[in-house]
Amino acid sequence: MIKDIESEYNLFENLEMNQEVLLNTMREASKKIAPVWPLENFVAVNPYLGFTSKKFSNVAQELATAGAVQMTLPASFYLDKLNAGEIIERDIEQALSKGGARISTDKFIKILKKKNESKEVTKTIATVADLATEVTKKDWERFLIGRVSQWAASYFDKGQAIWVASDQKQDLFYSWKTEAQIDRTPELIGLKGFRKLVKSLPDDPIKATKVALDILGVSPEQASLYFHRLLLKVGGWAAYAARVDWDSELYGGKDGKVIEFLALLICWEACLLESLNEEELYIKWDDAKGTFSLLNNQPELNQHLAHNLILQEAFDLAAQRKIIEKFELAEPSKSQESEQAKAQAIFCIDVRSEVFRRNLELVDHEIETLGFAGFFAFPIKYVPIGHNEGEAQCPVLLKTGPTILEELSDPKAYQRALSGRLQNRQVQQVWKSFKSGAVTCFSFVSPMGLSYLPKIFTDSFGLTRPVPHPDQEGMSNKDFKNRTISLGRNHHLGETTGIPLDQQIQMAKNALKAMSLTDDFGRFVLIVGHGSTTVNNPHATGYDCGACGGHSGEANARVAAAVLNNRVVRTALQSENIFIPVNTIFLACLHDTTTDEVRIFNEYDVPNDRKEELQSLQKSLVSAGHAARTERSLRMTASSSSAIEKMIITRSKDWSQTRPEWGLAGCSAFVVAPRERTKGMDMEGKSFLHSYEWEKDSGFSVLELIMTAPMVVTSWINLQYYGSTVDNKTFGSGNKTLHNVTAGLGVLEGYSGDLRVGLPMQAVHDGENYQHQPEKLNVIIEAPIEAINSILKKHKGVRDLVDNGWIYLMVMNDGGKISHKYAGDLTWESVAQVAA
């Protein structure tokens, strides 16, 4: 009797242990999927986020094996760069030496030219769906992806669908299982007994996965690569589930959505295998399972991939060589006069700001510019008029801070704007129901369709804007211009809003110190957020400010200016040795990166006796905008000055324009130094510029903040563009002209298929050439090496980025020249020594 009890106990214990091993294996696979944010706040994300603890080259092998993922462009791209002189033999020699290759540069180049574009590729593991397609000659892989995607669009729908088929209140796996039990589509297409098989599975996702793996004959220990392969197969929806997990964990919750999504994919595979019941399929599947441990059995890179990685390294070294030369040849900037500056303009570090900043300094030498993350150290949640939910105006790495309400100072105007927005929303909902209803959609086309013709005509020729700007929807122009923000204590739907005075003081101190702006304030200080103006563009928020959570920086600029103009706050800052002159006025501004126009929102804070000063400043902003547009037009097409102005404005409201602007295409450097180091230097709109003076940074707390936040975020942006360039099929979103918005949160390419992630091809390629070159980010910091090493020791995630080759790190000496490059494991090498 005792023996039986012990036996049952051991069986129960082993079952629990097996489930724990399985859960850990599933979680490990799920963490390899980077999150994707919805279209309403489409922020850049590193598509290799779950791999940064591994070497770049090792990840290239793993991803190639797991899903035929490419991490370089074809060899022909690099050979063309070699022929054009952009890569020189010295770059290839250094790349070969760094990789430990025992081959001469000449011989390596000869081999490449001989084997250029060979078909040799890394073997990718197969899934049941892959093999079923091969055996039956029916595209089961496409069918599986289509069915899962259709269900996921319904489950995650954010209000686009009139009818929602999935039960969104249930857990993800249970909701899928419930619908799959009644969906006859698989059986109609030839999967006998599919619904019955699904119904027989346990409701618990982990237990169901165990049953499915038993059917498939795969042990949890050997399943890691297979799990990853399945998630890559439906990578878009897996990425969206990862975003849900990200938000949950950020605010102290648990993960689990990706694990449940993986469970349904495994169950799909098992039910597909059982339903087809093909002997040849079973045989091929048994053979395929032997490749699941391929990474352990074949750790060496195949020759084709190894060659491409060396070429990519050489391409990165060539980019470093050019930027080092740029700083070497730069003339030292002349020191400014001691008298108070006419204005200081604080821009977001976004690469598009570099173009405007440089041109603003050229047209008006009395204006200084600085760079800082576009939320300006005010991580707020902003609630526009007529909205219930606030928008997170801060990097996705951070939790939101205080909630701020948008308002109008005139109560009657506020009620008018509120009623207008609510009424506009109600009309839109009714109109949407009429257009999309099961019956009324047919009657909509004939009688109503013709009424759209005049509007289509004027929109097509750029005479009108197809839709109002989302921020202005439902508001008159007058009310829109008169909007303000409320810092006072208030209540909104049970939530306390506003910023208490002590918190305003603390936020102001943190912001100014982080900006290295604690003295020598100008007569005007412009807080310049940025946004974009595009229409008919699902990825429009991807052109807005990533530091503001995929929104424009207007709200943050308004709050920062209001706090820093507060006399009580200024008086309190004096105890921190921050003395803001009485005549300094902070101006909240917005830089439209599509049109290069800058708006000032709080002109009312400027007294009448300084209106001429303000007008002079505005003229400088207009002149800088014209110069910036002229420079940006070189990447577009315009034949004359008047054509440039017309083209830029037209692109911003053209519903057929696939490239309204180039966004951050080309981003490849992040400079952390005083503006004097880069002033007058043409960084070609490819560099993030963060103002920083290490001598003012006691304890290097600001440097630590920069290296753990903006440096990480800029690496995300750079790697998103990198991934969308080298493998747009996996990490991009394909052809923009084929996009269809699904579930109100993402796009499909065409009418079906997986949710697409990343950037469309049109965002990185102009039809003939890449507008974004696959260069990994070069980070250049002016600070002592010891301080940088101390921060790297403290933050493993940041150290992984530089140790494993995801970004490159360099330091600048006190003469403004790049002196050392990071060599890994907290060691540095002299730039002069490397060049010798």
Side-chain angles (χ1 to χ4, degrees):
M1 184 69 168
I2 293 175
K3 191 176 288 187
D4 288 342
I5 293 173
E6 286 179 351
S7 177
E8 287 182 15
Y9 176 78
N10 289 335
L11 181 65
F12 176 76
E13 186 177 41
N14 289 336
L15 181 63
E16 291 295 314
M17 288 177 62
N18 287 339
Q19 283 198 353
E20 186 176 349
V21 170
L22 176 57
L23 179 59
N24 289 337
T25 306
M26 294 175 75
R27 177 170 282 114
E28 180 185 350
S30 72
K31 295 303 180 184
K32 295 177 180 178
I33 302 298
V36 63
W37 270 260
L39 295 175
E40 65 185 10
N41 57 329
F42 188 76
V43 297
V45 63
N46 172 11
Y48 314 104
L49 189 61
F51 293 96
T52 53
S53 61
K54 300 178 182 180
K55 295 286 185 185
F56 182 89
S57 58
N58 293 341
V59 175
Q61 166 71 358
E62 184 174 341
L63 285 173
T65 305
V69 176
Q70 303 298 312
M71 285 184 62
T72 69
L73 285 174
S76 59
F77 170 84
Y78 305 100
L79 290 174
D80 287 345
K81 296 295 182 183
L82 179 64
N83 293 333
E86 294 185 42
I87 298 176
I88 60 177
E89 291 191 9
R90 174 62 174 157
D91 300 324
I92 295 178
E93 183 182 337
Q94 288 183 0
L96 287 168
S97 174
K98 190 174 180 180
R102 298 178 180 178
I103 184 173
S104 69
T105 304
D106 289 341
K107 188 175 181 180
F108 177 73
I109 294 173
K110 286 179 182 178
I111 292 172
L112 282 175
K113 290 180 177 179
K114 187 176 180 181
K115 290 189 172 183
N116 186 25
E117 300 304 328
S118 68
K119 297 298 182 181
E120 181 185 1
V121 293
T122 306
K123 185 177 180 182
T124 302
I125 68 167
T127 65
V128 171
D130 296 329
L131 298 174
T133 300
E134 181 183 332
V135 169
T136 66
K137 309 306 178 187
K138 291 183 179 180
D139 198 344
W140 291 111
E141 179 183 15
R142 183 178 178 183
F143 178 74
L144 185 157
I145 294 171
R147 297 312 300 164
V148 171
S149 182
Q150 186 176 26
W151 167 82
S154 179
Y155 181 78
F156 289 116
D157 182 78
K158 295 175 70 68
Q160 179 176 336
I162 298 295
W163 299 334
V164 178
S166 300
D167 189 347
Q168 297 176 325
K169 296 179 181 179
Q170 296 290 345
D171 289 339
L172 186 150
F173 180 81
Y174 184 79
S175 177
W176 167 78
K177 184 172 178 285
T178 302
E179 185 180 335
Q181 288 174 193
I182 60 174
D183 181 10
R184 294 179 179 272
T185 309
E187 292 179 354
L188 291 173
I189 209 75
L191 297 182
K192 298 178 182 178
F194 186 86
R195 289 182 298 149
K196 187 176 181 181
L197 286 167
V198 172
K199 188 173 183 179
S200 68
L201 294 169
D203 292 340
D204 179 85
I206 307 305
K207 291 179 181 178
T209 299
K210 182 68 174 65
V211 172
L213 289 178
D214 288 342
I215 294 171
L216 294 166
V218 178
S219 68
E221 291 78 9
Q222 73 174 138
S224 180
L225 188 59
Y226 173 55
F227 287 172
H228 187 202
R229 169 73 171 129
L230 288 177
L231 287 172
L232 286 173
K233 186 183 287 290
V234 199
W237 288 111
Y240 188 77
R243 201 280 305 176
V244 177
D245 281 345
W246 175 283
D247 282 355
S248 176
E249 291 179 286
L250 182 65
Y251 290 94
K254 296 180 179 180
D255 64 355
K257 283 290 188 284
V258 184
I259 292 173
E260 289 190 65
F261 188 73
L262 174 57
L264 78 83
L265 295 178
I266 297 166
C267 290
W268 240 108
E269 286 267 296
C271 293
L272 179 63
L273 180 68
E274 288 280 272
S275 296
L276 288 175
N277 197 24
E278 292 272 354
E279 184 177 352
E280 185 182 355
L281 178 57
Y282 282 115
I283 293 172
K284 285 184 175 290
W285 177 239
D286 285 338
D287 290 341
K289 286 184 287 189
T291 66
F292 288 175
S293 56
L294 186 65
L295 285 182
N296 296 324
N297 297 332
Q298 299 181 12
E300 302 86 6
L301 297 173
N302 68 55
Q303 195 177 58
H304 182 82
L305 180 55
H307 287 171
N308 283 0
L309 287 169
I310 290 169
L311 288 170
Q312 177 61 47
E313 180 72 19
F315 188 58
D316 285 328
L317 289 172
Q320 288 177 32
R321 174 171 48 79
K322 291 167 192 170
I323 200 167
I324 289 170
E325 289 173 358
K326 190 183 286 281
F327 276 91
E328 192 65 34
L329 296 173
E331 295 182 7
S333 176
K334 296 179 181 179
S335 58
Q336 295 290 324
E337 299 292 332
S338 57
E339 65 183 53
Q340 189 178 21
K342 172 182 177 180
Q344 292 156 325
I346 306 167
F347 285 82
C348 179
I349 60 176
D350 187 289
V351 298
R352 293 165 293 182
S353 299
E354 186 272 329
V355 178
F356 195 96
R357 288 176 61 181
R358 176 163 35 82
N359 282 289
L360 180 59
E361 291 166 344
L362 284 172
V363 300
D364 194 331
H365 298 291
E366 295 183 81
I367 297 178
E368 303 169 3
T369 72
L370 297 89
F372 190 75
F375 74 115
F376 306 112
F378 285 82
I380 60 172
K381 185 162 76 170
Y382 187 65
V383 185
I385 293 173
H387 288 244
N388 291 330
E389 294 294 326
E391 301 167 340
Q393 297 274 155
C394 62
V396 295
L397 294 169
L398 305 179
K399 295 180 180 179
T400 56
T403 299
I404 304 298
L405 298 179
E406 182 180 74
E407 66 175 13
L408 286 163
S409 55
D410 181 359
K412 290 183 178 179
Y414 177 81
Q415 285 301 322
R416 182 174 63 245
L418 179 63
S419 299
R421 277 207 163 158
L422 293 177
Q423 185 178 13
N424 183 268
R425 195 171 304 152
Q426 290 170 354
V427 169
Q428 284 183 340
Q429 287 296 324
V430 172
W431 195 238
K432 176 183 174 182
S433 298
F434 177 65
K435 289 191 295 182
S436 307
V439 177
T440 52
C441 62
F442 295 103
S443 58
F444 171 82
V445 177
S446 298
M448 300 301 298
L450 290 175
S451 66
Y452 277 79
L453 283 176
K455 178 73 170 152
I456 291 173
F457 179 84
T458 55
D459 290 348
S460 298
F461 286 92
L463 302 175
T464 55
R465 181 186 166 95
V467 291
H469 194 285
D471 293 342
Q472 193 171 350
E473 200 166 14
M475 296 182 71
S476 67
N477 287 331
K478 181 180 179 182
D479 289 342
F480 183 71
K481 290 179 180 178
N482 290 334
R483 290 169 303 138
T484 60
I485 48 95
S486 172
L487 297 181
R489 183 182 176 87
N490 213 321
H491 294 281
H492 175 75
L493 300 179
E495 183 178 11
T496 302
T497 64
I499 310 178
L501 181 60
D502 59 340
Q503 192 174 0
Q504 288 187 42
I505 295 167
Q506 186 64 41
M507 294 176 84
K509 182 187 79 169
N510 292 344
L512 293 174
K513 287 192 172 183
M515 295 174 186
S516 294
L517 182 61
T518 54
D519 52 23
D520 298 327
F521 291 89
R523 292 176 63 80
F524 290 112
V525 179
L526 284 68
I527 310 292
V528 190
H530 69 91
S532 66
T533 303
T534 64
V535 293
N536 192 30
N537 182 8
H539 293 94
T541 57
Y543 292 98
D544 285 338
C545 182
C548 300
H551 306 105
S552 87
E554 176 188 335
N556 303 77
R558 284 179 179 276
V559 171
V563 169
L564 292 167
N565 281 331
N566 188 330
R567 297 295 176 184
V568 179
V569 170
R570 292 191 182 193
T571 301
L573 289 175
Q574 294 177 10
S575 64
E576 300 289 340
N577 291 320
I578 300 175
F579 298 92
I580 301 175
V582 174
N583 68 345
T584 294
I585 300 174
F586 287 83
L587 298 176
C589 309
L590 186 72
H591 170 210
D592 188 323
T593 57
T594 313
T595 63
D596 276 317
E597 297 169 310
V598 173
R599 283 188 296 165
I600 300 174
F601 296 112
N602 59 328
E603 293 182 26
Y604 47 77
D605 283 333
V606 181
N608 290 330
D609 61 349
R610 295 185 61 183
K611 292 296 183 181
E612 287 188 13
E613 281 185 67
L614 180 63
Q615 289 173 1
S616 173
L617 175 62
Q618 289 172 323
K619 286 181 181 178
S620 296
L621 292 172
V622 170
S623 298
H626 176 71
R629 285 190 291 274
T630 303
E631 180 177 334
R632 287 198 302 113
S633 71
L634 297 176
R635 294 176 73 180
M636 298 173 186
T637 52
S639 57
S640 65
S641 177
S642 59
I644 290 169
E645 297 292 319
K646 183 178 179 181
M647 177 194 68
I648 295 292
I649 301 300
T650 300
R651 292 172 90 95
S652 71
K653 55 185 179 181
D654 184 356
W655 61 268
S656 65
Q657 180 55 250
T658 57
R659 299 177 180 95
E661 61 161 285
W662 280 115
L664 294 99
C667 62
S668 56
F670 178 39
V671 182
V672 183
R675 176 56 173 161
E676 287 72 26
R677 302 305 189 201
T678 54
K679 191 171 184 179
M681 191 185 297
D682 185 358
M683 302 300 286
E684 304 173 38
K686 297 179 180 180
S687 294
F688 303 95
L689 300 180
H690 198 300
S691 298
Y692 173 69
E693 298 177 34
W694 70 266
E695 295 91 344
K696 295 181 179 180
D697 186 13
S698 177
F700 296 103
S701 59
V702 173
L703 179 60
E704 182 176 7
L705 180 65
I706 292 172
M707 290 181 66
T708 54
M711 190 173 98
V712 173
V713 171
T714 53
S715 77
W716 278 26
I717 297 169
N718 169 264
L719 287 168
Q720 184 190 57
Y721 272 85
Y722 182 97
S724 296
T725 300
V726 297
D727 191 345
N728 197 269
K729 181 180 178 181
T730 303
F731 296 125
S733 57
N735 188 342
K736 197 178 204 177
T737 63
L738 301 178
H739 284 175
N740 281 304
V741 176
T742 184
L745 54 85
V747 297
L748 304 181
E749 190 181 12
Y751 71 91
S752 185
D754 189 19
L755 185 75
R756 298 308 304 264
V757 300
L759 302 161
M761 198 64 191
Q762 286 90 342
V764 296
H765 198 280
D766 63 12
E768 295 182 4
N769 300 296
Y770 285 103
Q771 285 293 322
H772 182 81
Q773 304 286 332
E775 299 171 9
K776 283 177 277 181
L777 189 70
N778 291 295
V779 179
I780 304 158
I781 301 176
E782 183 178 347
I785 286 176
E786 297 76 17
I788 295 173
N789 275 353
S790 177
I791 294 167
L792 292 177
K793 285 180 185 177
K794 188 175 177 182
H795 298 278
K796 183 180 181 301
V798 178
R799 183 174 173 181
D800 283 342
L801 287 173
V802 293
D803 271 346
N804 294 324
W806 297 99
I807 62 176
Y808 298 101
L809 184 57
M810 295 176 271
V811 295
M812 192 187 299
N813 60 25
D814 56 8
K817 312 301 180 186
I818 297 173
S819 60
H820 289 79
K821 293 170 60 176
Y822 185 80
D825 198 24
L826 302 178
T827 63
W828 298 75
E829 54 189 11
S830 166
V831 166
Q833 184 179 359
V834 173

